[in-house]
Amino acid sequence: MPVTHIKNYIGGKLLDPVSGNWIPNYEPATGNVYSEVPDSGEQDVANAVDAAEVALETWSRAPVDERVDVLHRLADLIDQNREELVAIESRDNGKPENLARMIDIPRCSKNIRFFANLAMGMASESHTMPDAINYTLRQPVGIVTCISPWNLPLYLFTWKIAPALAAGNCVIGKPSEVTPMSAFRFSELCIEAGMPDGVMNIVHGSGAVTGNALLEEPRIAAVSFTGSTQTGKHIASVVSPQFKKLSLELGGKNPNLVFADCNYEPMMETTLKSSFANQGQICLCGSRILVEQSIYDQFRDDLVQRASQIKVGDPQAADSVLGAVVSQPHHQKILDCIELARSEGGNVLCGGAAATVGGRCQNGWFIEPTVIEGLPNDCQTNQQEIFGPVVTLQPFDSDHHALELANATRYGLSATVWTQDVSRANWLADRLQCGVVWVNCWLIRDLRTPFGGFKQSGVGREGGLEAMRFFTETKNVCIKYL
Ligand code: NDP
């Protein structure tokens, strides 16, 4: 079967890379190459920035409702093409179609509508003095780049570019080379929506080449990045000396605190999701499960029994709960992490190996949901992000002990607390070192709320007004009355 050539989206046109080189793109469920990604370099990036420079003056000064109309048309087109985008996202990433249908694709149009509506309501401050008035202008930063990861491909891509565009910037987006297909289809939808040429550009390619070219391009004024802490560190080292604005949403090793007084059944149902949804490849998954000693044995036995029954299968099948992990190297990395856990003395209670899925998926990259116990909190398994369907269990014997374990990592993205004691919940929410705390729930997201991490989970916040502030520069104007 002929492979599809994905194109860059530059200046309103779908283009091959200048080099004429391509990178193979795999379908994780089968292990087959099914498309090729442009291997873009400095020249492609420069061409995209040239196009953005031409577009910027008009777009940044357009009446806000003109920008908003384009974004609403784009959101409508995403909804109209929902089933096609579901199939694309599932095939490219390995996630079950059901998950893409319920979570990923609906969220893309929601992201765009949300920031379009927010832009309509944006206002700025004024500060009066006896003899003068100050007012604050919020102006677009200019040309910005949005670099996104492979785990929630179009969901996270739109989460970044929507506020950037709504605020009046021109964007050069770079999706992960591992999951480029939905961004390619998105570029076609941008054209159909009437996005002015050069306002939205997408340059495909590897992080090492295309990504670095974006970081080095002097005309790009801001970098919004979501990905691993390791890459974030590199990005900061390149971007900070250039004094570009920088937002980093990075990795996590999130604790899930389960107290004996919790509402047990909803806790168990949600914990299965927070452990294994999207094959454990969500930055917000709770990978360290901390359980109060008095219910530890019951919790462990129930979790293991239910995790063992989760259906891992063809992402296209309606009954598959878990699909494939995103790539062969990532598959191997997860299996290596499980081996490391064994060598550190961990007891693998279920899973612990590649899952075999027959038929068209016999060469795909699947992993069994894995639960491990018996490891101390300071071992590598409990400190390094695995980003797969792997969780560890640790008992605790007091609120202070739970808090100490929860905070004892270099990460600080999110935490989940399961208790019916409101005082305990508030005490923990106050002291947990992370940007998001969920009490008796997980993954409930109001797009108006700030989102981001403490410590090595990130710098800055996304979401609501935080994102609009990142993508604007403030300027104070002071006028004397007489
Ligand atoms: P990576 O850091 O490997 O890559 C993220 C993006 O950065 C990709 O587009 C990648 O391109 C690009 N990139 C890689 N190297 C460079 C570079 N030198 N310069 C510029 N860009 C570069 O992360 P993953 O894609 O593996 O995503 C998983 C990680 O993302 C996990 O750590 C997860 O926790 C984190 N994440 C954080 C979230 C948050 O909100 N805090 C949300 C979701 C995920 P390419 O893939 O083409 O190499």
Side-chain angles (χ1 to χ4, degrees), residues 147-151 156 174-177 205-207 211-212 215 225-228 231 234-235 249-252 283 385 387 413 451:
I147 303 176
S148 55
W150 47 255
N151 63 326
L156 287 176
K174 195 202 90 62
S176 170
E177 92 194 49
S206 71
N212 266 320
L215 305 180
F225 171 79
T226 298
S228 65
T231 307
H234 166 76
I235 289 180
E249 297 292 338
L250 308 176
C283 54
E385 187 181 41
F387 219 54
L413 190 55
F451 180 87

PDB file of all heavy atoms in Angstrom, residues 147-151 156 174-177 205-207 211-212 215 225-228 231 234-235 249-252 283 385 387 413 451, ligand 1:
ATOM      1  N   ILE A 147       5.402  23.684  20.676  1.00  0.00           N
ATOM      2  CA  ILE A 147       5.986  22.349  20.454  1.00  0.00           C
ATOM      3  C   ILE A 147       5.269  21.368  21.376  1.00  0.00           C
ATOM      4  O   ILE A 147       5.240  21.563  22.596  1.00  0.00           O
ATOM      5  CB  ILE A 147       7.505  22.370  20.753  1.00  0.00           C
ATOM      6  CG1 ILE A 147       8.207  23.415  19.883  1.00  0.00           C
ATOM      7  CG2 ILE A 147       8.106  20.989  20.544  1.00  0.00           C
ATOM      8  CD1 ILE A 147       9.700  23.578  20.163  1.00  0.00           C
ATOM      9  N   SER A 148       4.690  20.327  20.786  1.00  0.00           N
ATOM     10  CA  SER A 148       3.813  19.458  21.582  1.00  0.00           C
ATOM     11  C   SER A 148       4.251  17.997  21.480  1.00  0.00           C
ATOM     12  O   SER A 148       4.918  17.603  20.534  1.00  0.00           O
ATOM     13  CB  SER A 148       2.363  19.634  21.107  1.00  0.00           C
ATOM     14  OG  SER A 148       2.283  19.389  19.728  1.00  0.00           O
ATOM     15  N   PRO A 149       3.838  17.177  22.464  1.00  0.00           N
ATOM     16  CA  PRO A 149       4.255  15.772  22.511  1.00  0.00           C
ATOM     17  C   PRO A 149       3.273  14.835  21.810  1.00  0.00           C
ATOM     18  O   PRO A 149       2.270  15.271  21.253  1.00  0.00           O
ATOM     19  CB  PRO A 149       4.300  15.499  24.009  1.00  0.00           C
ATOM     20  CG  PRO A 149       3.171  16.324  24.545  1.00  0.00           C
ATOM     21  CD  PRO A 149       3.049  17.536  23.662  1.00  0.00           C
ATOM     22  N   TRP A 150       3.554  13.528  21.924  1.00  0.00           N
ATOM     23  CA  TRP A 150       2.802  12.535  21.158  1.00  0.00           C
ATOM     24  C   TRP A 150       1.648  11.910  21.943  1.00  0.00           C
ATOM     25  O   TRP A 150       0.870  11.150  21.378  1.00  0.00           O
ATOM     26  CB  TRP A 150       3.726  11.415  20.668  1.00  0.00           C
ATOM     27  CG  TRP A 150       4.655  10.862  21.720  1.00  0.00           C
ATOM     28  CD1 TRP A 150       6.001  11.113  21.828  1.00  0.00           C
ATOM     29  CD2 TRP A 150       4.338   9.986  22.817  1.00  0.00           C
ATOM     30  NE1 TRP A 150       6.533  10.458  22.924  1.00  0.00           N
ATOM     31  CE2 TRP A 150       5.533   9.753  23.543  1.00  0.00           C
ATOM     32  CE3 TRP A 150       3.162   9.372  23.261  1.00  0.00           C
ATOM     33  CZ2 TRP A 150       5.593   8.940  24.674  1.00  0.00           C
ATOM     34  CZ3 TRP A 150       3.208   8.568  24.391  1.00  0.00           C
ATOM     35  CH2 TRP A 150       4.416   8.359  25.086  1.00  0.00           C
ATOM     36  N   ASN A 151       1.532  12.170  23.240  1.00  0.00           N
ATOM     37  CA  ASN A 151       0.573  11.359  24.011  1.00  0.00           C
ATOM     38  C   ASN A 151      -0.884  11.768  23.784  1.00  0.00           C
ATOM     39  O   ASN A 151      -1.771  10.922  23.743  1.00  0.00           O
ATOM     40  CB  ASN A 151       0.941  11.374  25.499  1.00  0.00           C
ATOM     41  CG  ASN A 151       0.865  12.751  26.102  1.00  0.00           C
ATOM     42  OD1 ASN A 151       1.157  13.741  25.448  1.00  0.00           O
ATOM     43  ND2 ASN A 151       0.443  12.823  27.346  1.00  0.00           N
ATOM     44  N   LEU A 156      -3.292  18.435  22.750  1.00  0.00           N
ATOM     45  CA  LEU A 156      -2.313  19.354  23.338  1.00  0.00           C
ATOM     46  C   LEU A 156      -1.835  20.397  22.335  1.00  0.00           C
ATOM     47  O   LEU A 156      -1.474  21.512  22.714  1.00  0.00           O
ATOM     48  CB  LEU A 156      -1.126  18.574  23.910  1.00  0.00           C
ATOM     49  CG  LEU A 156      -1.436  17.812  25.202  1.00  0.00           C
ATOM     50  CD1 LEU A 156      -0.237  16.977  25.653  1.00  0.00           C
ATOM     51  CD2 LEU A 156      -1.847  18.760  26.322  1.00  0.00           C
ATOM     52  N   LYS A 174       4.990  22.786  15.991  1.00  0.00           N
ATOM     53  CA  LYS A 174       5.703  21.537  15.672  1.00  0.00           C
ATOM     54  C   LYS A 174       5.136  20.401  16.519  1.00  0.00           C
ATOM     55  O   LYS A 174       5.393  20.302  17.715  1.00  0.00           O
ATOM     56  CB  LYS A 174       7.207  21.640  15.927  1.00  0.00           C
ATOM     57  CG  LYS A 174       7.924  20.471  15.228  1.00  0.00           C
ATOM     58  CD  LYS A 174       9.275  20.132  15.785  1.00  0.00           C
ATOM     59  CE  LYS A 174       9.263  19.122  16.888  1.00  0.00           C
ATOM     60  NZ  LYS A 174       8.753  17.784  16.530  1.00  0.00           N
ATOM     61  N   PRO A 175       4.350  19.522  15.869  1.00  0.00           N
ATOM     62  CA  PRO A 175       3.871  18.346  16.599  1.00  0.00           C
ATOM     63  C   PRO A 175       5.003  17.328  16.713  1.00  0.00           C
ATOM     64  O   PRO A 175       6.022  17.461  16.037  1.00  0.00           O
ATOM     65  CB  PRO A 175       2.752  17.808  15.703  1.00  0.00           C
ATOM     66  CG  PRO A 175       2.981  18.387  14.360  1.00  0.00           C
ATOM     67  CD  PRO A 175       3.895  19.570  14.483  1.00  0.00           C
ATOM     68  N   SER A 176       4.825  16.342  17.559  1.00  0.00           N
ATOM     69  CA  SER A 176       5.842  15.291  17.647  1.00  0.00           C
ATOM     70  C   SER A 176       5.951  14.560  16.314  1.00  0.00           C
ATOM     71  O   SER A 176       4.943  14.251  15.680  1.00  0.00           O
ATOM     72  CB  SER A 176       5.468  14.300  18.743  1.00  0.00           C
ATOM     73  OG  SER A 176       6.316  13.177  18.668  1.00  0.00           O
ATOM     74  N   GLU A 177       7.160  14.240  15.940  1.00  0.00           N
ATOM     75  CA  GLU A 177       7.363  13.492  14.688  1.00  0.00           C
ATOM     76  C   GLU A 177       6.748  12.091  14.789  1.00  0.00           C
ATOM     77  O   GLU A 177       6.498  11.429  13.786  1.00  0.00           O
ATOM     78  CB  GLU A 177       8.860  13.389  14.380  1.00  0.00           C
ATOM     79  CG  GLU A 177       9.506  12.141  14.939  1.00  0.00           C
ATOM     80  CD  GLU A 177      11.018  12.145  14.956  1.00  0.00           C
ATOM     81  OE1 GLU A 177      11.601  13.126  15.418  1.00  0.00           O
ATOM     82  OE2 GLU A 177      11.591  11.153  14.501  1.00  0.00           O
ATOM     83  N   GLY A 205       8.885  17.455  11.751  1.00  0.00           N
ATOM     84  CA  GLY A 205      10.251  16.942  11.750  1.00  0.00           C
ATOM     85  C   GLY A 205      10.677  16.545  13.150  1.00  0.00           C
ATOM     86  O   GLY A 205       9.889  16.613  14.098  1.00  0.00           O
ATOM     87  N   SER A 206      11.937  16.149  13.269  1.00  0.00           N
ATOM     88  CA  SER A 206      12.419  15.646  14.556  1.00  0.00           C
ATOM     89  C   SER A 206      12.669  16.797  15.522  1.00  0.00           C
ATOM     90  O   SER A 206      12.918  17.935  15.116  1.00  0.00           O
ATOM     91  CB  SER A 206      13.718  14.869  14.350  1.00  0.00           C
ATOM     92  OG  SER A 206      14.751  15.774  14.039  1.00  0.00           O
ATOM     93  N   GLY A 207      12.665  16.467  16.815  1.00  0.00           N
ATOM     94  CA  GLY A 207      12.992  17.475  17.820  1.00  0.00           C
ATOM     95  C   GLY A 207      14.411  17.973  17.639  1.00  0.00           C
ATOM     96  O   GLY A 207      14.682  19.180  17.705  1.00  0.00           O
ATOM     97  N   GLY A 211      13.034  20.944  15.754  1.00  0.00           N
ATOM     98  CA  GLY A 211      12.788  21.599  17.040  1.00  0.00           C
ATOM     99  C   GLY A 211      13.892  22.590  17.367  1.00  0.00           C
ATOM    100  O   GLY A 211      13.634  23.745  17.715  1.00  0.00           O
ATOM    101  N   ASN A 212      15.126  22.139  17.207  1.00  0.00           N
ATOM    102  CA  ASN A 212      16.242  23.042  17.521  1.00  0.00           C
ATOM    103  C   ASN A 212      16.266  24.255  16.608  1.00  0.00           C
ATOM    104  O   ASN A 212      16.599  25.364  17.045  1.00  0.00           O
ATOM    105  CB  ASN A 212      17.572  22.297  17.440  1.00  0.00           C
ATOM    106  CG  ASN A 212      17.977  21.767  18.802  1.00  0.00           C
ATOM    107  OD1 ASN A 212      17.795  22.441  19.817  1.00  0.00           O
ATOM    108  ND2 ASN A 212      18.496  20.567  18.834  1.00  0.00           N
ATOM    109  N   LEU A 215      13.996  26.743  18.025  1.00  0.00           N
ATOM    110  CA  LEU A 215      14.526  27.403  19.237  1.00  0.00           C
ATOM    111  C   LEU A 215      15.550  28.470  18.876  1.00  0.00           C
ATOM    112  O   LEU A 215      15.642  29.511  19.522  1.00  0.00           O
ATOM    113  CB  LEU A 215      15.199  26.380  20.159  1.00  0.00           C
ATOM    114  CG  LEU A 215      14.373  25.161  20.594  1.00  0.00           C
ATOM    115  CD1 LEU A 215      15.201  24.263  21.510  1.00  0.00           C
ATOM    116  CD2 LEU A 215      13.086  25.578  21.282  1.00  0.00           C
ATOM    117  N   PHE A 225       6.187  24.949  25.276  1.00  0.00           N
ATOM    118  CA  PHE A 225       6.621  23.559  25.101  1.00  0.00           C
ATOM    119  C   PHE A 225       5.918  22.644  26.081  1.00  0.00           C
ATOM    120  O   PHE A 225       5.818  22.942  27.272  1.00  0.00           O
ATOM    121  CB  PHE A 225       8.140  23.467  25.343  1.00  0.00           C
ATOM    122  CG  PHE A 225       8.657  22.052  25.410  1.00  0.00           C
ATOM    123  CD1 PHE A 225       8.871  21.314  24.261  1.00  0.00           C
ATOM    124  CD2 PHE A 225       8.920  21.451  26.642  1.00  0.00           C
ATOM    125  CE1 PHE A 225       9.343  20.000  24.335  1.00  0.00           C
ATOM    126  CE2 PHE A 225       9.385  20.136  26.719  1.00  0.00           C
ATOM    127  CZ  PHE A 225       9.602  19.412  25.560  1.00  0.00           C
ATOM    128  N   THR A 226       5.442  21.510  25.604  1.00  0.00           N
ATOM    129  CA  THR A 226       5.001  20.421  26.468  1.00  0.00           C
ATOM    130  C   THR A 226       5.748  19.171  26.068  1.00  0.00           C
ATOM    131  O   THR A 226       5.780  18.800  24.890  1.00  0.00           O
ATOM    132  CB  THR A 226       3.485  20.175  26.350  1.00  0.00           C
ATOM    133  OG1 THR A 226       2.799  21.356  26.770  1.00  0.00           O
ATOM    134  CG2 THR A 226       3.040  19.026  27.228  1.00  0.00           C
ATOM    135  N   GLY A 227       6.374  18.521  27.043  1.00  0.00           N
ATOM    136  CA  GLY A 227       7.128  17.299  26.767  1.00  0.00           C
ATOM    137  C   GLY A 227       7.889  16.875  28.001  1.00  0.00           C
ATOM    138  O   GLY A 227       7.503  17.217  29.127  1.00  0.00           O
ATOM    139  N   SER A 228       8.967  16.164  27.789  1.00  0.00           N
ATOM    140  CA  SER A 228       9.685  15.594  28.927  1.00  0.00           C
ATOM    141  C   SER A 228      10.535  16.641  29.645  1.00  0.00           C
ATOM    142  O   SER A 228      10.930  17.651  29.055  1.00  0.00           O
ATOM    143  CB  SER A 228      10.581  14.452  28.453  1.00  0.00           C
ATOM    144  OG  SER A 228      11.577  14.971  27.601  1.00  0.00           O
ATOM    145  N   THR A 231      13.975  17.135  27.844  1.00  0.00           N
ATOM    146  CA  THR A 231      13.945  18.045  26.695  1.00  0.00           C
ATOM    147  C   THR A 231      13.699  19.474  27.164  1.00  0.00           C
ATOM    148  O   THR A 231      14.283  20.417  26.625  1.00  0.00           O
ATOM    149  CB  THR A 231      12.855  17.619  25.685  1.00  0.00           C
ATOM    150  OG1 THR A 231      13.060  16.247  25.357  1.00  0.00           O
ATOM    151  CG2 THR A 231      12.910  18.440  24.420  1.00  0.00           C
ATOM    152  N   HIS A 234      16.869  21.106  28.132  1.00  0.00           N
ATOM    153  CA  HIS A 234      17.635  21.510  26.950  1.00  0.00           C
ATOM    154  C   HIS A 234      17.037  22.789  26.345  1.00  0.00           C
ATOM    155  O   HIS A 234      17.762  23.734  26.015  1.00  0.00           O
ATOM    156  CB  HIS A 234      17.632  20.377  25.914  1.00  0.00           C
ATOM    157  CG  HIS A 234      18.092  20.809  24.562  1.00  0.00           C
ATOM    158  ND1 HIS A 234      19.430  21.035  24.266  1.00  0.00           N
ATOM    159  CD2 HIS A 234      17.407  21.119  23.427  1.00  0.00           C
ATOM    160  CE1 HIS A 234      19.544  21.453  23.020  1.00  0.00           C
ATOM    161  NE2 HIS A 234      18.329  21.508  22.483  1.00  0.00           N
ATOM    162  N   ILE A 235      15.723  22.815  26.234  1.00  0.00           N
ATOM    163  CA  ILE A 235      15.063  23.980  25.634  1.00  0.00           C
ATOM    164  C   ILE A 235      15.359  25.241  26.447  1.00  0.00           C
ATOM    165  O   ILE A 235      15.713  26.288  25.897  1.00  0.00           O
ATOM    166  CB  ILE A 235      13.546  23.720  25.487  1.00  0.00           C
ATOM    167  CG1 ILE A 235      13.353  22.678  24.372  1.00  0.00           C
ATOM    168  CG2 ILE A 235      12.771  25.000  25.189  1.00  0.00           C
ATOM    169  CD1 ILE A 235      11.938  22.293  24.097  1.00  0.00           C
ATOM    170  N   GLU A 249       5.762  22.806  30.147  1.00  0.00           N
ATOM    171  CA  GLU A 249       4.881  21.831  30.818  1.00  0.00           C
ATOM    172  C   GLU A 249       5.568  20.486  30.691  1.00  0.00           C
ATOM    173  O   GLU A 249       5.665  19.937  29.584  1.00  0.00           O
ATOM    174  CB  GLU A 249       3.515  21.784  30.131  1.00  0.00           C
ATOM    175  CG  GLU A 249       2.728  23.080  30.199  1.00  0.00           C
ATOM    176  CD  GLU A 249       2.264  23.431  31.594  1.00  0.00           C
ATOM    177  OE1 GLU A 249       2.178  22.527  32.449  1.00  0.00           O
ATOM    178  OE2 GLU A 249       2.017  24.620  31.855  1.00  0.00           O
ATOM    179  N   LEU A 250       6.048  19.932  31.818  1.00  0.00           N
ATOM    180  CA  LEU A 250       6.975  18.800  31.729  1.00  0.00           C
ATOM    181  C   LEU A 250       6.420  17.535  32.402  1.00  0.00           C
ATOM    182  O   LEU A 250       5.225  17.423  32.588  1.00  0.00           O
ATOM    183  CB  LEU A 250       8.315  19.239  32.332  1.00  0.00           C
ATOM    184  CG  LEU A 250       8.872  20.552  31.741  1.00  0.00           C
ATOM    185  CD1 LEU A 250      10.134  20.977  32.451  1.00  0.00           C
ATOM    186  CD2 LEU A 250       9.110  20.415  30.239  1.00  0.00           C
ATOM    187  N   GLY A 251       7.312  16.647  32.753  1.00  0.00           N
ATOM    188  CA  GLY A 251       6.901  15.323  33.223  1.00  0.00           C
ATOM    189  C   GLY A 251       6.356  15.311  34.641  1.00  0.00           C
ATOM    190  O   GLY A 251       6.308  16.332  35.327  1.00  0.00           O
ATOM    191  N   GLY A 252       5.958  14.118  35.072  1.00  0.00           N
ATOM    192  CA  GLY A 252       5.411  13.970  36.416  1.00  0.00           C
ATOM    193  C   GLY A 252       5.659  12.580  36.975  1.00  0.00           C
ATOM    194  O   GLY A 252       6.031  11.647  36.238  1.00  0.00           O
ATOM    195  N   CYS A 283       0.416  12.740  31.244  1.00  0.00           N
ATOM    196  CA  CYS A 283       1.312  13.332  32.243  1.00  0.00           C
ATOM    197  C   CYS A 283       0.665  13.351  33.617  1.00  0.00           C
ATOM    198  O   CYS A 283       1.356  13.433  34.626  1.00  0.00           O
ATOM    199  CB  CYS A 283       1.719  14.736  31.810  1.00  0.00           C
ATOM    200  SG  CYS A 283       0.310  15.787  31.457  1.00  0.00           S
ATOM    201  N   GLU A 385      10.057   9.006  35.724  1.00  0.00           N
ATOM    202  CA  GLU A 385       8.792   8.867  34.992  1.00  0.00           C
ATOM    203  C   GLU A 385       8.904   7.688  34.028  1.00  0.00           C
ATOM    204  O   GLU A 385       9.865   7.599  33.260  1.00  0.00           O
ATOM    205  CB  GLU A 385       8.532  10.159  34.210  1.00  0.00           C
ATOM    206  CG  GLU A 385       7.168  10.191  33.561  1.00  0.00           C
ATOM    207  CD  GLU A 385       6.935  11.468  32.769  1.00  0.00           C
ATOM    208  OE1 GLU A 385       7.871  11.914  32.076  1.00  0.00           O
ATOM    209  OE2 GLU A 385       5.819  11.994  32.818  1.00  0.00           O
ATOM    210  N   PHE A 387       5.921   6.571  32.175  1.00  0.00           N
ATOM    211  CA  PHE A 387       4.997   6.977  31.106  1.00  0.00           C
ATOM    212  C   PHE A 387       4.463   5.770  30.340  1.00  0.00           C
ATOM    213  O   PHE A 387       4.441   5.718  29.113  1.00  0.00           O
ATOM    214  CB  PHE A 387       5.696   7.966  30.151  1.00  0.00           C
ATOM    215  CG  PHE A 387       4.779   9.072  29.688  1.00  0.00           C
ATOM    216  CD1 PHE A 387       4.094   9.852  30.592  1.00  0.00           C
ATOM    217  CD2 PHE A 387       4.615   9.338  28.334  1.00  0.00           C
ATOM    218  CE1 PHE A 387       3.250  10.873  30.174  1.00  0.00           C
ATOM    219  CE2 PHE A 387       3.766  10.352  27.895  1.00  0.00           C
ATOM    220  CZ  PHE A 387       3.098  11.113  28.822  1.00  0.00           C
ATOM    221  N   LEU A 413       3.687  17.737  39.420  1.00  0.00           N
ATOM    222  CA  LEU A 413       2.623  18.109  38.480  1.00  0.00           C
ATOM    223  C   LEU A 413       1.240  18.017  39.136  1.00  0.00           C
ATOM    224  O   LEU A 413       0.532  19.003  39.249  1.00  0.00           O
ATOM    225  CB  LEU A 413       2.716  17.238  37.226  1.00  0.00           C
ATOM    226  CG  LEU A 413       1.824  17.662  36.065  1.00  0.00           C
ATOM    227  CD1 LEU A 413       2.068  19.109  35.680  1.00  0.00           C
ATOM    228  CD2 LEU A 413       2.036  16.757  34.858  1.00  0.00           C
ATOM    229  N   PHE A 451      -3.058  25.660  34.934  1.00  0.00           N
ATOM    230  CA  PHE A 451      -2.556  24.302  34.790  1.00  0.00           C
ATOM    231  C   PHE A 451      -1.039  24.326  34.618  1.00  0.00           C
ATOM    232  O   PHE A 451      -0.519  25.023  33.747  1.00  0.00           O
ATOM    233  CB  PHE A 451      -3.191  23.627  33.556  1.00  0.00           C
ATOM    234  CG  PHE A 451      -2.699  22.227  33.356  1.00  0.00           C
ATOM    235  CD1 PHE A 451      -3.316  21.170  34.001  1.00  0.00           C
ATOM    236  CD2 PHE A 451      -1.593  21.967  32.558  1.00  0.00           C
ATOM    237  CE1 PHE A 451      -2.840  19.882  33.855  1.00  0.00           C
ATOM    238  CE2 PHE A 451      -1.118  20.678  32.406  1.00  0.00           C
ATOM    239  CZ  PHE A 451      -1.743  19.631  33.057  1.00  0.00           C
TER     240      PHE A 451
HETATM  241  P1  NDP B   1       9.724  14.927  24.320  1.00  0.00           P
HETATM  242  O1  NDP B   1      10.298  15.876  25.284  1.00  0.00           O
HETATM  243  O2  NDP B   1      10.585  13.848  23.794  1.00  0.00           O
HETATM  244  O3  NDP B   1       9.150  15.686  23.046  1.00  0.00           O
HETATM  245  C1  NDP B   1       8.169  16.695  23.119  1.00  0.00           C
HETATM  246  C2  NDP B   1       8.238  17.540  21.859  1.00  0.00           C
HETATM  247  O4  NDP B   1       9.494  18.208  21.837  1.00  0.00           O
HETATM  248  C3  NDP B   1       8.173  16.735  20.563  1.00  0.00           C
HETATM  249  O5  NDP B   1       7.523  17.500  19.579  1.00  0.00           O
HETATM  250  C4  NDP B   1       9.629  16.571  20.247  1.00  0.00           C
HETATM  251  O6  NDP B   1       9.841  16.318  18.883  1.00  0.00           O
HETATM  252  C5  NDP B   1      10.159  17.934  20.631  1.00  0.00           C
HETATM  253  N1  NDP B   1      11.591  17.979  20.856  1.00  0.00           N
HETATM  254  C6  NDP B   1      12.422  16.969  21.205  1.00  0.00           C
HETATM  255  N2  NDP B   1      13.702  17.428  21.274  1.00  0.00           N
HETATM  256  C7  NDP B   1      13.658  18.758  20.980  1.00  0.00           C
HETATM  257  C8  NDP B   1      14.634  19.782  20.875  1.00  0.00           C
HETATM  258  N3  NDP B   1      15.923  19.537  21.086  1.00  0.00           N
HETATM  259  N4  NDP B   1      14.253  21.019  20.548  1.00  0.00           N
HETATM  260  C9  NDP B   1      12.936  21.298  20.338  1.00  0.00           C
HETATM  261  N5  NDP B   1      11.967  20.359  20.383  1.00  0.00           N
HETATM  262  C10 NDP B   1      12.313  19.106  20.721  1.00  0.00           C
HETATM  263  O7  NDP B   1       8.426  14.341  25.029  1.00  0.00           O
HETATM  264  P2  NDP B   1       7.493  13.186  24.496  1.00  0.00           P
HETATM  265  O8  NDP B   1       6.968  13.526  23.144  1.00  0.00           O
HETATM  266  O9  NDP B   1       8.203  11.894  24.713  1.00  0.00           O
HETATM  267  O10 NDP B   1       6.241  13.307  25.484  1.00  0.00           O
HETATM  268  C11 NDP B   1       6.169  12.688  26.694  1.00  0.00           C
HETATM  269  C12 NDP B   1       6.546  13.635  27.817  1.00  0.00           C
HETATM  270  O11 NDP B   1       5.689  14.762  27.809  1.00  0.00           O
HETATM  271  C13 NDP B   1       6.386  13.020  29.191  1.00  0.00           C
HETATM  272  O12 NDP B   1       7.490  13.363  29.980  1.00  0.00           O
HETATM  273  C14 NDP B   1       5.132  13.682  29.733  1.00  0.00           C
HETATM  274  O13 NDP B   1       5.070  13.743  31.136  1.00  0.00           O
HETATM  275  C15 NDP B   1       5.238  15.028  29.131  1.00  0.00           C
HETATM  276  N6  NDP B   1       3.932  15.678  29.112  1.00  0.00           N
HETATM  277  C16 NDP B   1       3.700  16.737  29.954  1.00  0.00           C
HETATM  278  C17 NDP B   1       2.451  17.330  30.002  1.00  0.00           C
HETATM  279  C18 NDP B   1       2.180  18.502  30.876  1.00  0.00           C
HETATM  280  O14 NDP B   1       1.194  19.187  30.637  1.00  0.00           O
HETATM  281  N7  NDP B   1       2.985  18.789  31.883  1.00  0.00           N
HETATM  282  C19 NDP B   1       1.344  16.841  29.172  1.00  0.00           C
HETATM  283  C20 NDP B   1       1.702  15.737  28.319  1.00  0.00           C
HETATM  284  C21 NDP B   1       2.958  15.188  28.298  1.00  0.00           C
HETATM  285  P3  NDP B   1       9.966  14.791  18.340  1.00  0.00           P
HETATM  286  O15 NDP B   1       8.986  13.960  19.053  1.00  0.00           O
HETATM  287  O16 NDP B   1       9.649  14.981  16.921  1.00  0.00           O
HETATM  288  O17 NDP B   1      11.369  14.396  18.633  1.00  0.00           O
END
